[in-house]
Every structure is written in C-alpha cells, then in structure tokens.
Amino acid sequence: METTTKFQIPGREEVSSNNQAIFDDLKKNIGFVPNLYAYYAKHETALGDYLTFQNRKSTLKTKEKEAVNIVVSQYNGCRYCQSAHTAIGKMNGFTEEQILELRKGSASFDNKLDAIVKFALATVANNGKATEESKNAFFAAGYTEVNMIDVVMVIGEKIISNYIHNLTGFEIDFPIAQEL
C-alpha cells in the first residue's frame, strides 16, 4: 500500500531570522503569511528570492499579470494558485465571471487581455513555442517584444509556485476557487 507524503507548513519559530522578518512584513502588509510563502521559508533564501522575482519591475499592468497568473495556474492544475489568484484578481477589479473566462483561456470582455491570455496559454501549452497565431495577435494588440519578455517572466514565476503546490498539496488558505 502506497503512503502519501505529508508536507508541513513551518511556523514563524521554525524558520530563519531572515525569513521571520519577511513573515512579519507579510503579516503587516497583507494580514497573514500565505502557506505558499511559508513553505518557501523552509529554505534559507527561497522566500526572499521568490518575492524579489514576483515583485520585479515589469512593463505589464497588474491586471495583465493577474490574467497570465490565472490562465497559467489553470493550465498547470494548481488549485492553490487558482484560488489565490481568484481572490487577487477580484481585488484588482475582475468579476467572478471574468476570472472563470480567463481560466478557460480567453477574455472576450477585453481585446488586449484576450491577446495576452491566449499568448500565455499557447506559450505554456507548447513548452515555450507559442503558435504564430497567438504571437501575431499579441503583437497586433499593441504588445512589444519587451512585453513578451515580461509575460515569459510572469509565466516562469507562476510555474515555480504551481509546481511547489502540485508537489506538496499543502492546505489552501484562500477561498477555494470554483472548479471548471
């Protein structure tokens, strides 16, 4: 009989002093330490590294980054990130219906977001080899090669968190996103 490996979320007292300081900042800024971030803190530098990567300067607007986060998390089957980005997406002005459409890979409510979502989905679904159609639509929507680099950076950052949760399956501490 196969046993299931259990992955534990460390508490503040179980992480380094550097990570404790990050926990304190997270608690002050967002009200709690999300389990995903706490899990990264098992490693001496992973939490700080991840947050630096996630918060890097970007040419993309917040809603564009969230749209990419939503579709990539759906494609990768990460229930934690689907749930987190449903909550974050709502805080950034998306409706529940729009988030469900983004998760399905389109944005009929906004032509530019539609192009970025389809491009991001084509990129992850084809291991970085987006279709010519999705690339052409992305550039036709007004995006640049610099924006393309930023989309790939967001995809890479999101894949990291999707894979961490898919490997561990620790508790989701956001309202659970609706199943598609």
Side-chain angles (χ1 to χ4, degrees):
M1 181 174 160
E2 188 177 321
T3 59
T4 303
T5 305
K6 292 284 186 193
F7 295 90
Q8 300 299 316
I9 300 300
R12 186 183 183 283
E13 66 287 346
E14 299 172 85
V15 301
S16 70
S17 58
N18 183 54
N19 283 330
Q20 287 177 2
I22 297 172
F23 276 29
D24 295 344
D25 285 344
L26 288 166
K27 194 162 177 111
K28 186 178 81 173
N29 293 327
I30 61 175
F32 73 112
V33 178
N35 284 343
L36 177 70
Y37 293 163
Y39 190 80
Y40 284 130
K42 286 185 172 224
H43 185 286
E44 178 62 33
T45 63
L47 176 58
D49 293 342
Y50 181 80
L51 290 171
T52 298
F53 188 29
Q54 185 178 54
N55 296 310
R56 64 178 281 283
K57 188 174 176 355
S58 175
T59 59
L60 302 177
K61 295 178 178 84
T62 302
K63 281 183 109 168
E64 292 167 325
K65 290 192 289 190
E66 274 313 302
V68 173
N69 286 331
I70 289 166
V71 73
V72 171
S73 296
Q74 181 64 43
Y75 180 81
N76 286 324
C78 180
R79 295 294 290 146
Y80 187 94
C81 294
Q82 290 166 16
S83 299
H85 289 288
T86 292
I88 296 165
K90 287 177 183 175
M91 289 189 299
N92 284 289
F94 287 121
T95 66
E96 178 76 23
E97 295 73 28
Q98 289 171 334
I99 290 167
L100 291 171
E101 185 179 347
L102 290 168
R103 286 175 58 196
K104 293 174 186 172
S106 65
S108 63
F109 56 90
D110 183 304
N111 289 338
K112 197 163 183 185
L113 283 177
D114 191 57
I116 200 170
V117 166
K118 287 179 176 168
F119 172 71
L121 181 57
T123 300
V124 295
N126 296 293
N127 299 311
K129 298 178 183 102
T131 62
E132 285 302 313
E133 178 186 6
S134 71
K135 283 191 278 190
N136 291 339
F138 178 78
F139 293 122
Y143 290 108
T144 66
E145 290 178 58
V146 173
N147 298 138
M148 181 181 71
I149 292 167
D150 279 334
V151 169
V152 174
M153 296 292 280
V154 173
I155 289 169
E157 175 262 308
K158 195 47 44 199
I159 286 173
I160 293 167
S161 58
N162 292 166
Y163 285 14
I164 289 291
H165 190 264
N166 286 349
L167 286 165
T168 61
F170 51 73
E171 183 183 350
I172 299 170
D173 51 354
F174 288 89
I176 305 296
Q178 181 179 326
E179 289 276 2
L180 287 189

mmCIF file of all heavy atoms in Angstrom, residues 67-83 85-86 99-105 121 124 158 162 166 177-180:
data_model
loop_
_atom_site.group_PDB
_atom_site.id
_atom_site.type_symbol
_atom_site.label_atom_id
_atom_site.label_comp_id
_atom_site.label_asym_id
_atom_site.label_seq_id
_atom_site.Cartn_x
_atom_site.Cartn_y
_atom_site.Cartn_z
ATOM 1 N N ALA A 67 -3.999 38.181 -15.179
ATOM 2 C CA ALA A 67 -4.600 37.356 -16.231
ATOM 3 C C ALA A 67 -3.657 36.209 -16.599
ATOM 4 O O ALA A 67 -4.086 35.058 -16.753
ATOM 5 C CB ALA A 67 -4.935 38.211 -17.457
ATOM 6 N N VAL A 68 -2.367 36.509 -16.711
ATOM 7 C CA VAL A 68 -1.376 35.465 -17.004
ATOM 8 C C VAL A 68 -1.304 34.471 -15.837
ATOM 9 O O VAL A 68 -1.319 33.253 -16.041
ATOM 10 C CB VAL A 68 0.014 36.090 -17.307
ATOM 11 C CG1 VAL A 68 1.078 35.008 -17.429
ATOM 12 C CG2 VAL A 68 -0.053 36.938 -18.579
ATOM 13 N N ASN A 69 -1.248 34.978 -14.606
ATOM 14 C CA ASN A 69 -1.212 34.099 -13.426
ATOM 15 C C ASN A 69 -2.406 33.149 -13.410
ATOM 16 O O ASN A 69 -2.268 31.959 -13.103
ATOM 17 C CB ASN A 69 -1.218 34.928 -12.137
ATOM 18 C CG ASN A 69 0.093 35.609 -11.850
ATOM 19 O OD1 ASN A 69 1.153 35.137 -12.218
ATOM 20 N ND2 ASN A 69 0.023 36.747 -11.177
ATOM 21 N N ILE A 70 -3.574 33.668 -13.731
ATOM 22 C CA ILE A 70 -4.811 32.882 -13.685
ATOM 23 C C ILE A 70 -4.792 31.774 -14.722
ATOM 24 O O ILE A 70 -5.066 30.611 -14.410
ATOM 25 C CB ILE A 70 -6.035 33.817 -13.848
ATOM 26 C CG1 ILE A 70 -6.213 34.667 -12.579
ATOM 27 C CG2 ILE A 70 -7.296 33.021 -14.162
ATOM 28 C CD1 ILE A 70 -7.167 35.851 -12.741
ATOM 29 N N VAL A 71 -4.459 32.109 -15.964
ATOM 30 C CA VAL A 71 -4.508 31.084 -17.026
ATOM 31 C C VAL A 71 -3.397 30.046 -16.852
ATOM 32 O O VAL A 71 -3.612 28.856 -17.081
ATOM 33 C CB VAL A 71 -4.515 31.715 -18.437
ATOM 34 C CG1 VAL A 71 -3.154 32.289 -18.834
ATOM 35 C CG2 VAL A 71 -5.003 30.708 -19.471
ATOM 36 N N VAL A 72 -2.223 30.474 -16.415
ATOM 37 C CA VAL A 72 -1.116 29.525 -16.209
ATOM 38 C C VAL A 72 -1.444 28.577 -15.045
ATOM 39 O O VAL A 72 -1.223 27.365 -15.143
ATOM 40 C CB VAL A 72 0.222 30.269 -15.975
ATOM 41 C CG1 VAL A 72 1.331 29.304 -15.547
ATOM 42 C CG2 VAL A 72 0.639 31.017 -17.247
ATOM 43 N N SER A 73 -1.993 29.116 -13.968
ATOM 44 C CA SER A 73 -2.359 28.273 -12.822
ATOM 45 C C SER A 73 -3.437 27.265 -13.198
ATOM 46 O O SER A 73 -3.419 26.123 -12.724
ATOM 47 C CB SER A 73 -2.834 29.146 -11.663
ATOM 48 O OG SER A 73 -1.775 29.962 -11.219
ATOM 49 N N GLN A 74 -4.362 27.673 -14.047
ATOM 50 C CA GLN A 74 -5.394 26.745 -14.519
ATOM 51 C C GLN A 74 -4.757 25.658 -15.377
ATOM 52 O O GLN A 74 -5.009 24.472 -15.173
ATOM 53 C CB GLN A 74 -6.470 27.486 -15.321
ATOM 54 C CG GLN A 74 -7.574 26.577 -15.824
ATOM 55 C CD GLN A 74 -8.374 25.948 -14.699
ATOM 56 O OE1 GLN A 74 -8.706 26.619 -13.733
ATOM 57 N NE2 GLN A 74 -8.689 24.674 -14.826
ATOM 58 N N TYR A 75 -3.925 26.055 -16.322
ATOM 59 C CA TYR A 75 -3.294 25.083 -17.219
ATOM 60 C C TYR A 75 -2.483 24.057 -16.423
ATOM 61 O O TYR A 75 -2.529 22.857 -16.715
ATOM 62 C CB TYR A 75 -2.393 25.785 -18.249
ATOM 63 C CG TYR A 75 -1.743 24.785 -19.166
ATOM 64 C CD1 TYR A 75 -2.447 24.267 -20.251
ATOM 65 C CD2 TYR A 75 -0.467 24.310 -18.923
ATOM 66 C CE1 TYR A 75 -1.882 23.299 -21.073
ATOM 67 C CE2 TYR A 75 0.108 23.341 -19.734
ATOM 68 C CZ TYR A 75 -0.602 22.851 -20.808
ATOM 69 O OH TYR A 75 -0.039 21.886 -21.614
ATOM 70 N N ASN A 76 -1.768 24.535 -15.404
ATOM 71 C CA ASN A 76 -0.923 23.642 -14.602
ATOM 72 C C ASN A 76 -1.693 22.906 -13.513
ATOM 73 O O ASN A 76 -1.107 22.124 -12.762
ATOM 74 C CB ASN A 76 0.241 24.428 -13.985
ATOM 75 C CG ASN A 76 1.283 24.783 -15.024
ATOM 76 O OD1 ASN A 76 1.551 24.011 -15.936
ATOM 77 N ND2 ASN A 76 1.859 25.960 -14.888
ATOM 78 N N GLY A 77 -2.982 23.150 -13.406
ATOM 79 C CA GLY A 77 -3.810 22.422 -12.448
ATOM 80 C C GLY A 77 -3.484 22.707 -10.997
ATOM 81 O O GLY A 77 -3.642 21.840 -10.147
ATOM 82 N N CYS A 78 -3.022 23.920 -10.707
ATOM 83 C CA CYS A 78 -2.664 24.270 -9.332
ATOM 84 C C CYS A 78 -3.865 24.889 -8.627
ATOM 85 O O CYS A 78 -4.184 26.069 -8.835
ATOM 86 C CB CYS A 78 -1.479 25.233 -9.313
ATOM 87 S SG CYS A 78 -1.001 25.679 -7.626
ATOM 88 N N ARG A 79 -4.505 24.108 -7.782
ATOM 89 C CA ARG A 79 -5.692 24.582 -7.056
ATOM 90 C C ARG A 79 -5.338 25.722 -6.095
ATOM 91 O O ARG A 79 -6.135 26.632 -5.895
ATOM 92 C CB ARG A 79 -6.363 23.434 -6.297
ATOM 93 C CG ARG A 79 -6.942 22.361 -7.187
ATOM 94 C CD ARG A 79 -8.106 22.840 -8.048
ATOM 95 N NE ARG A 79 -9.273 23.103 -7.205
ATOM 96 C CZ ARG A 79 -10.169 24.078 -7.439
ATOM 97 N NH1 ARG A 79 -10.040 24.873 -8.462
ATOM 98 N NH2 ARG A 79 -11.186 24.250 -6.623
ATOM 99 N N TYR A 80 -4.154 25.675 -5.491
ATOM 100 C CA TYR A 80 -3.751 26.749 -4.583
ATOM 101 C C TYR A 80 -3.690 28.069 -5.347
ATOM 102 O O TYR A 80 -4.278 29.066 -4.928
ATOM 103 C CB TYR A 80 -2.384 26.439 -3.946
ATOM 104 C CG TYR A 80 -2.009 27.441 -2.877
ATOM 105 C CD1 TYR A 80 -2.291 27.189 -1.539
ATOM 106 C CD2 TYR A 80 -1.403 28.656 -3.195
ATOM 107 C CE1 TYR A 80 -1.970 28.109 -0.549
ATOM 108 C CE2 TYR A 80 -1.091 29.581 -2.215
ATOM 109 C CZ TYR A 80 -1.369 29.311 -0.901
ATOM 110 O OH TYR A 80 -1.066 30.231 0.073
ATOM 111 N N CYS A 81 -2.973 28.084 -6.462
ATOM 112 C CA CYS A 81 -2.794 29.330 -7.207
ATOM 113 C C CYS A 81 -4.081 29.768 -7.908
ATOM 114 O O CYS A 81 -4.334 30.966 -8.037
ATOM 115 C CB CYS A 81 -1.633 29.203 -8.187
ATOM 116 S SG CYS A 81 -0.041 29.008 -7.337
ATOM 117 N N GLN A 82 -4.904 28.810 -8.343
ATOM 118 C CA GLN A 82 -6.216 29.184 -8.892
ATOM 119 C C GLN A 82 -7.003 29.941 -7.822
ATOM 120 O O GLN A 82 -7.623 30.975 -8.111
ATOM 121 C CB GLN A 82 -7.005 27.948 -9.310
ATOM 122 C CG GLN A 82 -6.469 27.227 -10.522
ATOM 123 C CD GLN A 82 -7.090 25.833 -10.674
ATOM 124 O OE1 GLN A 82 -8.101 25.512 -10.066
ATOM 125 N NE2 GLN A 82 -6.469 25.009 -11.501
ATOM 126 N N SER A 83 -6.974 29.437 -6.602
ATOM 127 C CA SER A 83 -7.718 30.053 -5.500
ATOM 128 C C SER A 83 -7.120 31.409 -5.118
ATOM 129 O O SER A 83 -7.843 32.402 -4.969
ATOM 130 C CB SER A 83 -7.747 29.109 -4.301
ATOM 131 O OG SER A 83 -8.398 27.900 -4.649
ATOM 132 N N HIS A 85 -5.237 33.429 -6.925
ATOM 133 C CA HIS A 85 -5.368 34.436 -7.987
ATOM 134 C C HIS A 85 -6.820 34.757 -8.314
ATOM 135 O O HIS A 85 -7.087 35.816 -8.893
ATOM 136 C CB HIS A 85 -4.529 34.052 -9.204
ATOM 137 C CG HIS A 85 -3.080 34.204 -8.905
ATOM 138 N ND1 HIS A 85 -2.474 35.434 -8.773
ATOM 139 C CD2 HIS A 85 -2.119 33.288 -8.619
ATOM 140 C CE1 HIS A 85 -1.205 35.275 -8.450
ATOM 141 N NE2 HIS A 85 -0.965 33.970 -8.347
ATOM 142 N N THR A 86 -7.747 33.916 -7.905
ATOM 143 C CA THR A 86 -9.157 34.314 -7.983
ATOM 144 C C THR A 86 -9.392 35.449 -6.984
ATOM 145 O O THR A 86 -9.983 36.477 -7.327
ATOM 146 C CB THR A 86 -10.084 33.109 -7.704
ATOM 147 O OG1 THR A 86 -9.952 32.173 -8.784
ATOM 148 C CG2 THR A 86 -11.540 33.547 -7.584
ATOM 149 N N ILE A 99 -12.983 35.999 -14.281
ATOM 150 C CA ILE A 99 -11.917 35.102 -13.826
ATOM 151 C C ILE A 99 -12.139 33.698 -14.384
ATOM 152 O O ILE A 99 -11.200 33.058 -14.861
ATOM 153 C CB ILE A 99 -11.824 35.100 -12.286
ATOM 154 C CG1 ILE A 99 -11.276 36.464 -11.806
ATOM 155 C CG2 ILE A 99 -10.945 33.951 -11.787
ATOM 156 C CD1 ILE A 99 -11.420 36.721 -10.333
ATOM 157 N N LEU A 100 -13.374 33.232 -14.373
ATOM 158 C CA LEU A 100 -13.660 31.905 -14.938
ATOM 159 C C LEU A 100 -13.339 31.872 -16.427
ATOM 160 O O LEU A 100 -12.780 30.891 -16.928
ATOM 161 C CB LEU A 100 -15.126 31.517 -14.680
ATOM 162 C CG LEU A 100 -15.459 31.235 -13.213
ATOM 163 C CD1 LEU A 100 -16.967 31.081 -13.034
ATOM 164 C CD2 LEU A 100 -14.717 30.007 -12.698
ATOM 165 N N GLU A 101 -13.645 32.954 -17.142
ATOM 166 C CA GLU A 101 -13.314 33.008 -18.566
ATOM 167 C C GLU A 101 -11.795 33.031 -18.768
ATOM 168 O O GLU A 101 -11.274 32.341 -19.659
ATOM 169 C CB GLU A 101 -13.954 34.233 -19.218
ATOM 170 C CG GLU A 101 -13.733 34.242 -20.725
ATOM 171 C CD GLU A 101 -14.365 35.410 -21.454
ATOM 172 O OE1 GLU A 101 -15.196 36.141 -20.871
ATOM 173 O OE2 GLU A 101 -14.000 35.594 -22.625
ATOM 174 N N LEU A 102 -11.082 33.803 -17.950
ATOM 175 C CA LEU A 102 -9.616 33.830 -18.039
ATOM 176 C C LEU A 102 -9.049 32.437 -17.806
ATOM 177 O O LEU A 102 -8.133 32.005 -18.519
ATOM 178 C CB LEU A 102 -9.028 34.814 -17.018
ATOM 179 C CG LEU A 102 -9.277 36.288 -17.280
ATOM 180 C CD1 LEU A 102 -8.903 37.127 -16.054
ATOM 181 C CD2 LEU A 102 -8.525 36.767 -18.517
ATOM 182 N N ARG A 103 -9.574 31.727 -16.813
ATOM 183 C CA ARG A 103 -9.092 30.371 -16.533
ATOM 184 C C ARG A 103 -9.309 29.444 -17.731
ATOM 185 O O ARG A 103 -8.532 28.515 -17.949
ATOM 186 C CB ARG A 103 -9.780 29.819 -15.276
ATOM 187 C CG ARG A 103 -9.250 30.456 -13.996
ATOM 188 C CD ARG A 103 -9.989 30.018 -12.758
ATOM 189 N NE ARG A 103 -9.949 28.569 -12.572
ATOM 190 C CZ ARG A 103 -10.774 27.917 -11.751
ATOM 191 N NH1 ARG A 103 -11.680 28.561 -11.045
ATOM 192 N NH2 ARG A 103 -10.669 26.598 -11.623
ATOM 193 N N LYS A 104 -10.344 29.713 -18.511
ATOM 194 C CA LYS A 104 -10.632 28.901 -19.708
ATOM 195 C C LYS A 104 -9.795 29.335 -20.905
ATOM 196 O O LYS A 104 -9.842 28.698 -21.951
ATOM 197 C CB LYS A 104 -12.121 28.976 -20.045
ATOM 198 C CG LYS A 104 -12.995 28.302 -19.004
ATOM 199 C CD LYS A 104 -14.471 28.519 -19.302
ATOM 200 C CE LYS A 104 -15.335 27.963 -18.183
ATOM 201 N NZ LYS A 104 -16.755 28.317 -18.358
ATOM 202 N N GLY A 105 -9.039 30.439 -20.766
ATOM 203 C CA GLY A 105 -8.102 30.834 -21.811
ATOM 204 C C GLY A 105 -8.547 31.935 -22.741
ATOM 205 O O GLY A 105 -7.989 32.073 -23.832
ATOM 206 N N LEU A 121 -1.255 31.190 -22.653
ATOM 207 C CA LEU A 121 -1.704 29.800 -22.691
ATOM 208 C C LEU A 121 -0.997 29.029 -23.802
ATOM 209 O O LEU A 121 -0.531 27.910 -23.578
ATOM 210 C CB LEU A 121 -3.225 29.731 -22.867
ATOM 211 C CG LEU A 121 -3.816 28.321 -22.905
ATOM 212 C CD1 LEU A 121 -3.466 27.529 -21.657
ATOM 213 C CD2 LEU A 121 -5.330 28.409 -23.099
ATOM 214 N N VAL A 124 2.631 28.257 -22.571
ATOM 215 C CA VAL A 124 2.804 27.158 -21.615
ATOM 216 C C VAL A 124 2.368 25.819 -22.206
ATOM 217 O O VAL A 124 2.999 24.799 -21.943
ATOM 218 C CB VAL A 124 2.112 27.399 -20.250
ATOM 219 C CG1 VAL A 124 2.741 28.560 -19.521
ATOM 220 C CG2 VAL A 124 0.627 27.577 -20.375
ATOM 221 N N LYS A 158 5.153 31.933 -12.082
ATOM 222 C CA LYS A 158 3.934 31.212 -11.704
ATOM 223 C C LYS A 158 4.147 29.705 -11.781
ATOM 224 O O LYS A 158 3.637 28.960 -10.936
ATOM 225 C CB LYS A 158 2.763 31.643 -12.600
ATOM 226 C CG LYS A 158 1.417 31.240 -12.095
ATOM 227 C CD LYS A 158 1.157 31.517 -10.612
ATOM 228 C CE LYS A 158 1.614 32.862 -10.122
ATOM 229 N NZ LYS A 158 1.753 32.928 -8.650
ATOM 230 N N ASN A 162 3.191 27.018 -8.956
ATOM 231 C CA ASN A 162 2.293 25.922 -9.332
ATOM 232 C C ASN A 162 2.934 24.578 -9.025
ATOM 233 O O ASN A 162 2.292 23.687 -8.441
ATOM 234 C CB ASN A 162 1.963 25.962 -10.833
ATOM 235 C CG ASN A 162 1.112 27.123 -11.303
ATOM 236 O OD1 ASN A 162 1.037 27.363 -12.499
ATOM 237 N ND2 ASN A 162 0.482 27.865 -10.411
ATOM 238 N N ASN A 166 1.727 21.747 -6.472
ATOM 239 C CA ASN A 166 1.347 20.463 -7.064
ATOM 240 C C ASN A 166 2.163 19.314 -6.478
ATOM 241 O O ASN A 166 1.663 18.198 -6.345
ATOM 242 C CB ASN A 166 1.486 20.506 -8.588
ATOM 243 C CG ASN A 166 0.382 21.325 -9.247
ATOM 244 O OD1 ASN A 166 -0.605 21.710 -8.627
ATOM 245 N ND2 ASN A 166 0.561 21.609 -10.523
ATOM 246 N N ALA A 177 -11.245 28.285 -5.153
ATOM 247 C CA ALA A 177 -11.779 28.677 -6.466
ATOM 248 C C ALA A 177 -12.765 27.619 -6.956
ATOM 249 O O ALA A 177 -12.582 26.427 -6.710
ATOM 250 C CB ALA A 177 -10.648 28.843 -7.465
ATOM 251 N N GLN A 178 -13.757 28.091 -7.653
ATOM 252 C CA GLN A 178 -14.758 27.213 -8.257
ATOM 253 C C GLN A 178 -14.068 26.271 -9.244
ATOM 254 O O GLN A 178 -13.144 26.652 -9.948
ATOM 255 C CB GLN A 178 -15.762 28.112 -8.992
ATOM 256 C CG GLN A 178 -16.889 27.415 -9.679
ATOM 257 C CD GLN A 178 -17.828 28.418 -10.340
ATOM 258 O OE1 GLN A 178 -18.039 29.501 -9.851
ATOM 259 N NE2 GLN A 178 -18.363 28.030 -11.467
ATOM 260 N N GLU A 179 -14.514 25.017 -9.278
ATOM 261 C CA GLU A 179 -13.991 24.060 -10.256
ATOM 262 C C GLU A 179 -14.518 24.446 -11.638
ATOM 263 O O GLU A 179 -15.635 24.946 -11.764
ATOM 264 C CB GLU A 179 -14.465 22.635 -9.922
ATOM 265 C CG GLU A 179 -13.828 22.048 -8.699
ATOM 266 C CD GLU A 179 -12.472 21.414 -8.958
ATOM 267 O OE1 GLU A 179 -11.972 21.452 -10.098
ATOM 268 O OE2 GLU A 179 -11.911 20.900 -7.994
ATOM 269 N N LEU A 180 -13.734 24.204 -12.660
ATOM 270 C CA LEU A 180 -14.217 24.433 -14.036
ATOM 271 C C LEU A 180 -14.855 23.158 -14.545
ATOM 272 O O LEU A 180 -14.507 22.070 -14.174
ATOM 273 C CB LEU A 180 -13.070 24.814 -14.953
ATOM 274 C CG LEU A 180 -12.500 26.210 -14.795
ATOM 275 C CD1 LEU A 180 -11.516 26.516 -15.920
ATOM 276 C CD2 LEU A 180 -13.588 27.273 -14.791
#
